[in-house]
Amino acid sequence: MAGLAALSALGCAGGSSVVTVPAPVMESVPSEIATPADRTAVTPADPALPPRIAMFAGLMPLRTIGVDAFRVAAPEYDGRGVLIAILDSGVDPSLPGLRSTTTTERKLLDIRDFSGEGRIALQPVRPGADGTVRIGEHVAHGFGRVAGIASSPYYGGVFHEVTLGAPPAADVNRSGTITDAFLVVVARASDAWVAIVDTDGDRSLEDERPIRDYGIAGDVFTFRDDGGQPGPIAVAVNLSEAEGRPVLDLVLDNSSHGSHVAGIAAGHDLFGVEGFHGVAPGAQLLALKIANNTRGGISVTGSMLSAMQYAADYAARRSMPLIVNLSYGVGNEVEGGAAIDSLIDAYALQHPNVLVVISAGNDGPGVSTVGLPGSAEHALTVCALFPGAFIQAPQPGTPPAADVMGWWSARGGEVAKPDVCAPGVAYSNVPEWRTGEEISGGTSMAAPVIAGAAALLQSAMLQSGGAVRAIDLKRSLMATATPMGGTTVLDEGAGVPNVGDALRWLRAAHQTGIYRVRALTSEGTAAPTSAAYRRGGLASPADTIQEFVVSSAEGQPAARLLLEPDVPWLRAPALIEPGGEATTIRLTYDAGALTEPGLYVGTVWARPASDTISGPSFGLTNTVVVPQSLDTAFGAQGLLTPGATARYFLQVPAAAGGLEVVIDLGERGGEATLYLFEPSGQPYRGGNSAAAGGTKPSRAAVTVMADEVVPGVYEAVVVAPPTKAVSYRFTASVPSVRVETVAVGPVAVVENLTDVPQRVAISAVVLGGVRFDDVRGDERGDPTSIEVTVPEWATSMTLDASLPRDLWQSLTDFGVTVFDSLGRKISDSPLNYAFGRHRIVLDTADRGATLRVELFPAFARGDAARSWSASLRTEFLAEAAIELPLVGDTVASKRYLTARERLRVPISPPDMPLLPIGYDYLIEVVATPETGPASVRRAAVEP
């Protein structure tokens, strides 16, 4: 799911009899089938395994980047004196690992909500002589408690559980429902605004204590059940003032994502277990909530930038070095062209001592999938490894299993990202209500490893002479990184860093410059990318020139740089001297070496001539994809080592009637997963993965329907499991026929795409109904809702939402949330690209009801919200498809098509219950030739 999604296990990946590890999931992509949110309380689970066992098993994976050895050698360089800002879903301040640092200082210095999710609407209230006060429709008793603490004017409001979405997080008092309401009174005490919350819901304030802003007093509370027992979620309060009136936000982590990330970055004595630490246990934290978890963990307009600026101002006031961790990402429509990218780059240049660490995204293993804002050039972007500790439990006398590349981790292409890799699965903090899900995976878990590592380095430098610039931290980690075998810079960037080596690099005072790299298009204009990318191969044999423009930061002296290509097909000048002015560098490709289908990646590394051992100052990365023609079916065989990938790029013509890619493990056994990516790099919208072997059949396929074919170069990727090698056969083909149209009548047009006659079996069914809505938002960028009537016969619904691509580039998120008639959330499915699809299994109570679909844009700039538009397609599927006979049907519905013939095939009208007004029938037509895959088209047909 988009944004700061809470990770849930979709399956299990290799482990031992001791440890079973949930597979990392793609937190930026909606699940293919989402069950309705449970609208009653959920019984808490047991921990995934005891924390002490997790510690000794190495499930907080510190060894990979040398953190364990570093902290043993220099325990005082544990992050103390450094501030890490966690921009996320919120952080639960009650967790044992987030209470103090190694030097007994407060771990969480401040908790702020920039999402607006916990905003309580306040209105002036006046107490009665009997000690009661009316707040909306409710009456609170015991107002004397408030009057004894604070003076008038008084303000009242109501917090409703249902606004938090679904249980268990929304059931804040563990009552078994999410319909409870809690009264709040706000007034000014002698020192600050205070909130008095009816935490037990008994409509009395007599037994409640005043709560001050967390930044002032560190106050935290929990709601309580009828017996006075605390609920499962800790709440902090933000109290500010606007135009003389109080503004109240309740801040809580109702996702668990932020708490998990914070524990990895800087947890100290996690779960109360002495010595169980995150990467930088001495560092202090800012918990800055930018995500509206009720809407699927989406950022909101301006929240990201506002939180970053707050962190910079806070650190400056305290004179503390700052690391910003942003475990967040959605898909790039145009890599490097998003508004938030340029805003983060500007922020980094404005605050040169603040390192911004961002997760690369989880849309891998396809190339050109790095998400925004991880594509920001001046951020440190982190890809993910699958740690060996989760592959095999430690055994006495046996070396630990090696880490492998995370199959889910996003890859570069149009941008020169990621920068470095780190372990992307960990056992860490979760709020009490999330017990049992302490193990989570994704690049969200890799980013805080590197943020913590940067805090260790900054702490060491701070204690031995003074803090260093962000670019120094970034370069130290990249320059000392070790590449993994069998990968390219698109997969891993510089590789896997080592903290000890990075500190030695910093102490050597190597030269470090800040450079901006831009590739030029063939027309000679600057493209908004930091790398050269030709997905369709060279345009012609003469297409051998690629130019880059390199400029250095303002005020930076010119430096002589040596250029060195790392592949033989790439040539570059030997020396450049970029200064403040832009310098154009011309590279030459050897076209003769780029003819066989496949992926070609080469980088020209620029090193300071006066300090060649310092590592590259930057790289000029070039990617050329030579696709495989599908004029005839393509097949290949391969053998993959554990965790390895094989890529196939497939040229799909505009007139294709579909695409089918298949892996077959035959009788050899083993397991593998097949992924498919559209020409833009986006995971195939119809479901981009299929697993083979293990408990599943040995053959797996991903099929693209005719109505969803995107002309261009698709990428299919075969991935071996992290535990064992696998041999496979891969095939790809397009149908020899095409269902061209399905129109009113109903009637289908089927075309023979070959020069030979063939017999084709044709069938048609009605699947259900479909409606279309064009939604327009106002200039404030506020959420907009439409109402959708569910047919009585519908068992599931599919939402397709589409935005203009240029609008997507100005956003950081776009939420799509479905509520039932009582206002309870059924599902959330933020978009991960300008097109997104979400399937929902409907509860029986929803059939025949009216649902509300809310569309919620989040603009990168808080002051730049503007009018917006979206297209929404809503499909409702019946439990079983209804066959539609063909008019003039012949035996087995077969038709004889001559070479290149387009045949018009009338279909009998649907015979099913009437559709609601405004709905069309959803009809599917399948044309199956005697050999090869079928062509399938779904279309809306008017009744």
Side-chain angles (χ1 to χ4, degrees), residues 471-648:
I471 187 63
D472 298 314
L473 293 174
K474 179 178 178 179
R475 284 279 314 283
S476 72
L477 291 164
M478 294 181 67
T480 58
T482 302
M484 299 180 67
T487 59
T488 72
V489 294
L490 304 188
D491 302 292
E492 63 171 359
V496 183
N498 180 277
V499 183
D501 292 342
L503 180 58
R504 285 185 282 275
W505 189 96
L506 286 169
R507 286 177 168 168
H510 289 294
Q511 295 182 17
T512 308
I514 303 175
Y515 296 93
R516 186 173 191 264
V517 175
R518 283 293 177 268
L520 298 185
T521 66
S522 57
E523 291 78 24
T525 57
T529 58
S530 55
Y533 184 67
R534 290 167 164 81
R535 192 174 179 102
L538 302 182
S540 70
D543 180 20
T544 59
I545 304 299
Q546 176 61 54
E547 291 184 327
F548 287 82
V549 173
V550 177
S551 55
S552 56
E554 185 177 351
Q556 180 176 304
R560 299 175 73 237
L561 298 172
L562 302 177
L563 301 183
E564 181 181 0
D566 62 5
V567 291
W569 55 265
L570 190 57
R571 292 187 290 273
L575 183 72
I576 62 168
E577 192 167 346
E581 298 295 326
T583 301
T584 299
I585 305 173
R586 173 172 287 197
L587 309 183
T588 305
Y589 298 167
D590 178 2
L594 305 174
T595 57
E596 290 297 316
L599 176 70
Y600 298 86
V601 182
T603 302
V604 175
W605 299 106
R607 293 178 171 83
S610 60
D611 188 11
T612 56
I613 64 171
S614 67
S617 294
F618 59 83
L620 308 176
T621 298
N622 301 260
T623 301
V624 179
V625 171
V626 179
Q628 175 70 49
S629 171
L630 292 182
D631 290 342
T632 58
F634 168 72
Q637 291 182 322
L639 173 65
L640 293 174
T641 56
T645 61
R647 304 179 184 279
Y648 300 95

Side-chain angles (χ1 to χ4, degrees), residues 51-444:
R52 190 173 295 276
I53 292 178
M55 178 180 70
F56 287 115
L59 301 189
M60 177 63 74
L62 307 177
R63 177 184 57 85
T64 297
I65 66 168
V67 170
D68 49 354
F70 182 90
R71 290 202 318 232
V72 168
E76 69 277 15
Y77 298 160
D78 60 359
R80 64 190 65 176
V82 180
L83 185 60
I84 304 176
I86 306 293
L87 278 64
D88 216 285
S89 66
V91 174
D92 190 322
S94 69
L95 299 175
L98 299 178
R99 291 176 184 169
S100 67
T101 70
T102 53
T103 54
T104 70
E105 296 178 281
R106 195 167 97 184
K107 173 66 70 174
L108 282 163
L109 290 180
D110 202 1
I111 297 175
R112 294 285 120 187
D113 186 2
F114 295 89
S115 75
E117 181 186 59
R119 179 66 51 87
I120 305 298
L122 298 175
Q123 297 296 329
V125 295
R126 180 173 297 176
D130 59 353
T132 64
V133 63
R134 178 170 292 278
I135 303 174
E137 299 177 354
H138 308 279
V139 175
H141 300 271
F143 197 83
R145 173 66 171 165
V146 179
I149 297 168
S151 57
S152 62
Y154 302 112
Y155 298 85
V158 183
F159 164 64
H160 296 276
E161 281 184 317
V162 72
T163 61
L164 294 183
D171 186 14
V172 295
N173 60 345
R174 210 155 20 203
S175 66
T177 71
I178 59 169
T179 58
D180 297 324
F182 302 88
L183 307 183
V184 182
V185 172
V186 175
R188 183 181 288 280
S190 59
D191 56 345
W193 290 102
V194 296
I196 296 88
V197 183
D198 178 21
T199 58
D200 55 8
D202 65 356
R203 299 297 187 264
S204 174
L205 305 176
E206 188 65 39
D207 55 348
E208 305 296 349
R209 64 184 177 91
I211 307 294
R212 286 169 171 78
D213 185 281
Y214 186 89
I216 295 174
D219 287 347
V220 175
F221 73 93
T222 58
F223 292 95
R224 295 173 288 159
D225 64 15
D226 292 340
Q229 294 300 308
I233 191 164
V235 186
V237 163
N238 287 169
L239 277 163
S240 57
E241 186 175 302
E243 299 179 352
R245 296 174 54 139
V247 178
L248 171 64
D249 290 283
L250 303 185
V251 195
L252 61 166
D253 182 9
N254 50 327
S255 158
S256 83
H257 189 276
S259 297
H260 198 274
V261 165
I264 296 170
H268 172 240
D269 290 347
L270 292 162
F271 304 93
V273 176
E274 185 177 355
F276 192 8
H277 302 322
V279 178
Q284 293 179 289
L285 298 174
L286 293 178
L288 307 180
K289 181 170 180 169
I290 64 171
N292 187 309
N293 300 318
T294 305
R295 269 63 178 174
I298 63 170
S299 58
V300 302
T301 293
S303 65
M304 196 176 299
L305 203 60
S306 297
M308 291 173 63
Q309 190 58 55
Y310 181 88
D313 294 343
Y314 190 100
R317 289 195 304 272
R318 295 233 175 179
S319 299
M320 296 180 71
L322 174 65
I323 313 294
V324 171
N325 186 89
L326 198 50
S327 288
Y328 166 90
V330 293
N332 259 308
E333 284 290 339
V334 180
E335 271 83 345
I340 192 62
D341 284 357
S342 61
L343 292 172
I344 286 178
D345 282 338
Y347 175 91
L349 294 174
Q350 182 184 1
H351 303 282
N353 296 326
V354 178
L355 179 65
V356 183
V357 181
I358 306 179
S359 54
N362 297 326
D363 279 349
V367 300
S368 194
T369 50
V370 168
L372 64 89
S375 45
E377 187 171 9
H378 295 309
L380 179 57
T381 306
V382 187
C383 51
L385 307 174
F386 191 83
F390 290 91
I391 296 174
Q392 177 181 324
Q395 302 292 333
T398 302
D403 300 343
V404 300
M405 192 70 209
W407 55 92
W408 69 92
S409 188
R411 269 64 168 183
E414 290 180 79
V415 292
K417 295 285 182 176
D419 295 311
V420 294
C421 266
V425 187
Y427 184 109
S428 182
N429 287 319
V430 290
E432 181 193 339
W433 60 269
R434 188 66 88 174
T435 299
E437 299 186 29
E438 294 83 4
I439 299 172
S440 286
T443 57
S444 281

